[in-house]
Amino acid sequence: MKNFTKAAVFLCTICIMVSAHSCKLSPSQPYNYPWEPEPAPENTLPANKIMRLQGIASIHCIICDSSIVNGHTENASVAKTEYYIDQSRLKKIQYVAGNSGRNITVYDIGKKLSWESTSGKAANINTDIEYIKNAYNHEIRQILGSQLEEPLQYVGKENMGSILCDVFEDKSGFQEWVWHNYLLPVQYKRAWNYDNLCKRTFLQMRNIDLNQKFPDSIFDKPQ
């Protein structure tokens, strides 16, 4: 009888543990385990804090854009801008008319140098360190920081290839896909409805490579 009682108590304990665990994962409860959605850092924060919150020491990526009108693709996704960013340098490559041309801008805080190249001709922009820091901060806030405006609404989760994202929306209908592991916005969507037209535009971050050491030659000004 004693053995039966011990077995009953043991089974009861197991049932309570299983029941408690199942309650955490119940779809009728707020989904906060193990998934806890969090938006990207606000773009009003300093660049170094945004990167620190994301766990990003460096990033290389390509921004592509596309648009859909009344359910039909108006322009396919094309490379718009390419970035190389680390904790003191930024290189922006803007593609013109596809890949037929490009403009390059570099901000290098360590060297107190900023330069740009248009049509293959390179020239200094400004050597004032405050100008370079401000330009560097502005670019990173726009690329890595959230573009959403309060109040936010959590829409759901979605896979973008192998990247698991939280999707958020603000009061204007602007949506942001945030890479959960890094709090990094990897896609934006804006919608317009006017004159019987329904237009959706997308900006998507592709070819993402994080936390790699870039060779200095990437940021060097052409001679």
Side-chain angles (χ1 to χ4, degrees), residues 45-48 87-90 106-114 126-141:
L45 296 172
N48 60 353
Q87 294 176 311
S88 63
R89 302 173 296 185
L90 180 147
V106 167
Y107 302 107
D108 190 328
I109 295 174
K111 290 185 177 180
K112 299 181 181 179
L113 178 66
S114 60
N126 200 316
T127 57
D128 179 71
I129 188 62
E130 291 305 316
Y131 170 87
I132 297 168
K133 286 180 178 178
N134 289 336
Y136 170 88
N137 267 274
H138 174 76
E139 290 284 348
I140 288 182
R141 287 169 173 165

Side-chain angles (χ1 to χ4, degrees), residues 71-194:
H72 301 286
T73 300
E74 187 175 71
N75 67 285
S77 184
V78 294
K80 179 179 180 182
T81 315
E82 183 174 3
Y83 289 96
Y84 291 88
I85 298 169
D86 64 18
Q87 294 176 311
S88 63
R89 302 173 296 185
L90 180 147
K91 181 176 185 176
K92 176 171 67 174
I93 305 171
Q94 296 173 292
Y95 293 101
V96 181
N99 290 321
S100 62
R102 61 181 191 168
N103 298 328
I104 300 173
T105 306
V106 167
Y107 302 107
D108 190 328
I109 295 174
K111 290 185 177 180
K112 299 181 181 179
L113 178 66
S114 60
W115 61 268
E116 62 184 357
S117 174
T118 304
S119 302
K121 297 180 180 179
N124 289 342
I125 302 173
N126 200 316
T127 57
D128 179 71
I129 188 62
E130 291 305 316
Y131 170 87
I132 297 168
K133 286 180 178 178
N134 289 336
Y136 170 88
N137 267 274
H138 174 76
E139 290 284 348
I140 288 182
R141 287 169 173 165
Q142 296 303 307
I143 304 158
L144 305 185
S146 174
Q147 303 303 310
L148 296 169
E149 297 181 3
E150 297 283 356
L152 309 182
Q153 178 183 356
Y154 177 59
V155 177
K157 57 179 179 176
E158 184 176 327
N159 283 312
M160 287 187 58
S162 61
I163 297 175
L164 195 54
C165 296
D166 293 307
V167 186
F168 296 89
E169 181 176 285
D170 65 18
K171 60 184 179 181
S172 71
F174 183 77
Q175 290 188 339
E176 202 167 76
W177 279 250
V178 179
W179 188 349
H180 181 76
N181 289 350
Y182 290 96
L183 301 184
L184 175 67
V186 293
Q187 179 171 275
Y188 307 98
K189 182 180 82 170
R190 190 176 296 281
W192 290 274
N193 293 282
Y194 55 92

